[in-house]
């Protein structure tokens, strides 16, 4: 279960931030200076949500979008094909998960109850609190790579990128890109699909790269890394 001390710390932190934000916005002497400070730094605060947006990475995105136009065209077309295939696969996966959830609700067999194709990760419930740092770093990295794909694909299709940012919602980190929607609405459906599919395509490539690195660890860390020298308890049936 989620430790009570962690819940208290998170709630107290957000309450302190929200209270300070409310007091400063209602202050006659500090309101204008505080709101100007937030705007100049691209910060936005709301209950359990803080967001930071900047344009400092726009040149980097533009540089990436100019690298080998032919290769980028093939790259994002591959992402388009993968995105459509993944959309169909995700529908199949969700239907299968729904069937398994229904089977769990209508049976008392513990074996069926433990089988689930798609698992929702809940810190403190099915994710140990000792692994929270790795989990949140992985979430943030995945979000940044995802939005990098959208930004580069958008600039390649002549859609302006207004900015890039990161956010924290309660405890979950993430990233986003702000695209100029007028430009986005004027391009063709195929160009829009290349932009929309670029994020999940980059996440897939990141996943493949991470798996490759994982399997290559015994080679990369040899002789400090060995396998088959012990036992690992992966599950205990009650």
């Amino acid at each position: 279960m989620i430790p009570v001390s962690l819940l208290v710390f998170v709630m107290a932190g957000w309450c302190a931030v929200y209270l300070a934000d409310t007091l400063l916005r209602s202050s006659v002497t500090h309101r204008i200076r505080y709101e100007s400070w937030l705007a100049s730094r691209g910060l936005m605060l709301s209950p359990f949500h803080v967001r930071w947006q900047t344009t400092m990475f726009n040149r980097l995105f533009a540089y990436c979008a100019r690298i080998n136009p032919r290769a980028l065209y093939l790259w994002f077309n591959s992402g388009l094909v993968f995105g459509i295939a993944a959309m169909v696969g995700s529908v199949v996966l969700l239907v299968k998960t729904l069937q398994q959830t229904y089977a769990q609700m209508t049976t008392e067999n513990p074996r069926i109850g433990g089988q689930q194709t798609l698992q929702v990760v809940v810190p403190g419930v099915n994710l140990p609190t000792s692994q929270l740092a790795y989990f949140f770093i992985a979430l943030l990295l995945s979000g940044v790579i995802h939005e990098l794909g959208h930004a580069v694909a958008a600039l390649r299709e002549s859609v302006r990128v207004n900015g890039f940012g990161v956010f924290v919602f309660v405890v979950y980190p993430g990233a986003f890109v702000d695209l100029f929607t007028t430009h986005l609405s004027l391009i063709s459906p195929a160009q829009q699909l290349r932009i929309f599919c670029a994020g999940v395509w980059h996440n897939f490539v990141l996943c493949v790269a991470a798996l490759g690195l994982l399997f290559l660890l015994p080679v990369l860390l040899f002789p400090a890394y060995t396998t088959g020298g012990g036992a690992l308890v992966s599950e205990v049936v009650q």
Side-chain angles (χ1 to χ4, degrees):
M1 295 297 292
I2 302 176
V4 177
S5 58
L6 179 61
L7 285 175
V8 171
F9 177 78
V10 172
M11 293 300 296
W14 278 112
C15 287
V17 170
Y18 182 66
L19 178 61
D21 180 66
T22 303
L23 290 175
L24 287 170
R25 288 183 185 276
S26 59
S27 172
V28 177
T29 56
H30 300 291
R31 181 177 63 86
I32 296 177
R33 186 184 304 173
Y34 172 67
E35 291 180 349
S36 299
W37 181 82
L38 288 177
S40 64
R41 284 160 178 77
L43 289 171
M44 289 185 63
L45 289 172
S46 59
F48 301 104
H49 181 264
V50 58
R51 188 177 77 167
W52 172 69
Q53 182 173 338
T54 181
T55 59
M56 68 171 61
F57 300 106
N58 285 12
R59 287 189 176 182
L60 175 62
F61 296 150
Y63 172 77
C64 293
R66 291 193 299 266
I67 298 176
N68 200 331
R70 178 62 181 173
L72 284 178
Y73 177 77
L74 295 175
W75 175 259
F76 288 118
N77 269 341
S78 300
L80 188 154
V81 174
F82 173 80
I84 294 174
M87 180 179 62
V88 176
S90 64
V91 172
V92 174
L93 180 62
L94 289 173
V95 170
K96 187 175 182 180
T97 303
L98 181 62
Q99 292 174 341
Q100 291 174 340
T101 303
Y102 178 75
Q104 291 175 12
M105 295 171 62
T106 56
T107 185
E108 297 180 357
N109 189 339
R111 288 184 175 273
I112 297 179
Q115 296 175 355
Q116 191 81 21
T117 302
L118 190 64
Q119 289 282 357
V120 178
V121 178
V122 182
V125 177
N126 55 5
L127 179 72
T129 53
S130 59
Q131 298 181 13
L132 288 181
Y134 304 113
F135 177 65
F136 290 138
I137 290 172
L139 273 183
L140 182 59
L141 178 62
S142 299
V144 169
I145 297 298
H146 182 101
E147 299 303 329
L148 173 65
H150 288 312
V152 175
L155 288 170
R156 193 204 163 276
E157 304 296 343
S158 300
V159 175
R160 191 178 76 193
V161 175
N162 295 325
F164 166 84
V166 294
F167 66 88
V168 175
F169 177 70
V170 187
V171 293
Y172 290 92
F176 65 93
V177 287
D178 181 15
L179 302 181
F180 192 55
T181 54
T182 303
H183 288 174
L184 192 61
S185 62
L186 292 175
I187 60 178
S188 68
Q191 290 175 301
Q192 293 180 13
L193 273 176
R194 278 195 286 270
I195 297 172
F196 296 148
C197 295
V200 69
W201 169 239
H202 277 210
N203 283 142
F204 173 74
V205 173
L206 176 64
C207 179
V208 171
L211 282 174
L213 179 62
L214 180 64
F215 286 118
L216 287 174
L217 277 180
V219 178
L220 297 175
L221 300 180
F222 180 82
Y225 186 97
T226 60
T227 59
L232 172 68
V233 178
S234 60
E235 184 179 2
V236 178
V237 179
Q238 187 174 0

